[in-house]
Amino acid sequence: MDSLTESEMTQISRLQRDAGVQMLSCHFSWPEFSDERRGFHQEFVYDVATFAADRGFSWSNVIRAAVTAKDMFPQLDDLNGNKLLSMLRDVLCERLPNLTPVHRHELTQYLTDTCFTRQRLFQAVVDGAADVSIVQLHLEVQLPPTPCPLVQGTDLHEGEAQQDLAKVTSELQQKEEELRSLREGSWFTLSKAGMPEDEHLDKQSILEVVHATLRTTKEQIEASLNQEVTLLGEILQLKVQHAALATGRHHNTGHTSRRPDTPAKAKHKTRVKDTGNAV
């Protein structure tokens, strides 16, 4: 310690770690260890000295703290809590009697934390197991992605409900378009197609032609009415589903594409306007 001045200690505290350890070590002899353990010893002394300098110790007390750490390290082979606190109390009172209460508390806390957190490492080194490697595992904590604000995000159930509503809306529009096309094309008139070319038909032949035309027209009307009834049933079902989804009521029975049973043929009367001459 006699060869280490306050100005040199000031210079050491400003160096990078490796350079600081090397320069500080040059001012001490290290007879305690002659193998790899000497490096651990020197780094421990440097860490204590730089801690004291960072906490604002006087430079003379920084040097004394380094000497204290150098003497402490060889005794860290078998320490429990009581032994460590007893040793710290004796060493600090003997080597650093002029510390302020705050600095004494800070140095005691630092040495206690350091010795306990590295207890197994210090024991292995001081006992001579310098080849024991300490593996530190770095755990990477992956946090879930930050959810979007409510104005930008959509709840899962709300998104599914919107998809269902859009699907029902599309099907409803399609069925309504089919119904509109059906009604616009439902014009049935007597046609001259299939009329015989012979202008001299008797009464019986004319009646047969009229009856055949009426039967064809009737079948067309019945088919159109049946199709219209089917479309109306599907439209009604889709409107019920649309109303339920639009008001937030979800039904357990999802939408099915099953067509309703074909209703019985509607009874109707067909009137045919006779625009020709009476037979």
Side-chain angles (χ1 to χ4, degrees), residues 10-215:
T10 303
Q11 182 182 359
I12 292 172
S13 66
R14 294 173 181 173
L15 297 175
Q16 296 294 327
R17 177 180 175 80
D18 292 342
V21 171
Q22 183 178 1
M23 184 174 179
L24 180 61
S25 301
C26 293
H27 292 276
F28 295 94
S29 61
W30 304 91
E32 296 86 358
F33 306 106
S34 59
D35 50 18
E36 293 87 348
R37 291 176 290 177
R38 180 175 295 177
F40 288 96
H41 192 181
Q42 294 171 346
E43 289 180 356
F44 180 76
V45 174
Y46 173 82
D47 289 340
V48 174
T50 53
F51 172 83
D54 292 340
R55 289 300 186 275
F57 286 30
S58 65
W59 290 113
S60 60
N61 281 333
V62 171
I63 296 173
R64 291 189 180 94
V67 175
T68 301
K70 182 178 181 298
D71 294 339
M72 280 182 56
F73 188 82
Q75 305 177 49
L76 298 179
D77 56 338
D78 185 21
L79 284 181
N80 55 34
N82 293 330
K83 288 183 180 180
L84 177 62
L85 292 176
S86 178
M87 183 182 66
L88 288 177
R89 182 173 58 251
D90 295 340
V91 169
L92 293 180
C93 291
E94 179 182 352
R95 301 290 181 88
L96 295 162
N98 298 324
L99 285 180
T100 64
V102 174
H103 286 167
R104 184 181 299 276
H105 172 75
E106 290 179 341
L107 182 58
T108 302
Q109 187 69 42
Y110 171 77
L111 291 173
T112 302
D113 293 342
T114 301
C115 291
F116 277 132
T117 56
R118 302 181 182 179
Q119 182 178 9
R120 294 181 61 186
L121 175 62
F122 289 156
Q123 288 177 350
V125 172
V126 177
D127 285 341
D131 58 342
V132 175
S133 62
I134 303 298
V135 179
Q136 294 183 347
L137 299 179
H138 297 278
L139 300 180
E140 181 180 358
V141 179
Q142 296 184 351
L143 299 177
T146 304
C148 298
L150 292 179
V151 294
Q152 299 179 7
T154 303
D155 182 76
L156 176 60
H157 297 292
E158 181 182 353
E160 293 177 350
Q162 290 178 356
Q163 292 179 358
D164 293 341
L165 182 60
K167 180 180 179 181
V168 171
T169 302
S170 176
E171 293 180 0
L172 179 58
Q173 292 175 349
Q174 181 181 353
K175 295 299 180 182
E176 289 177 340
E177 180 64 26
E178 291 180 11
L179 179 62
R180 182 164 50 253
S181 299
L182 178 65
R183 287 177 173 176
E184 290 176 355
S186 298
W187 296 96
F188 304 98
T189 58
L190 291 178
S191 174
K192 293 184 178 180
M195 294 290 291
E197 297 293 338
D198 189 1
E199 297 180 359
H200 304 286
L201 294 177
D202 56 12
K203 182 177 180 180
Q204 182 64 30
S205 298
I206 294 175
L207 288 176
E208 290 177 358
V209 171
V210 172
H211 290 161
T213 303
L214 290 176
R215 282 195 301 271

Side-chain angles (χ1 to χ4, degrees), residues 202-239:
D202 56 12
K203 182 177 180 180
Q204 182 64 30
S205 298
I206 294 175
L207 288 176
E208 290 177 358
V209 171
V210 172
H211 290 161
T213 303
L214 290 176
R215 282 195 301 271
T216 302
T217 304
K218 177 182 178 182
E219 292 174 357
Q220 293 176 353
I221 293 174
E222 289 179 348
S224 177
L225 290 176
N226 289 335
Q227 187 177 357
E228 182 174 341
V229 170
T230 299
L231 286 173
L232 287 173
E234 293 177 346
I235 290 173
L236 179 60
Q237 183 181 13
L238 289 172
K239 285 185 176 181

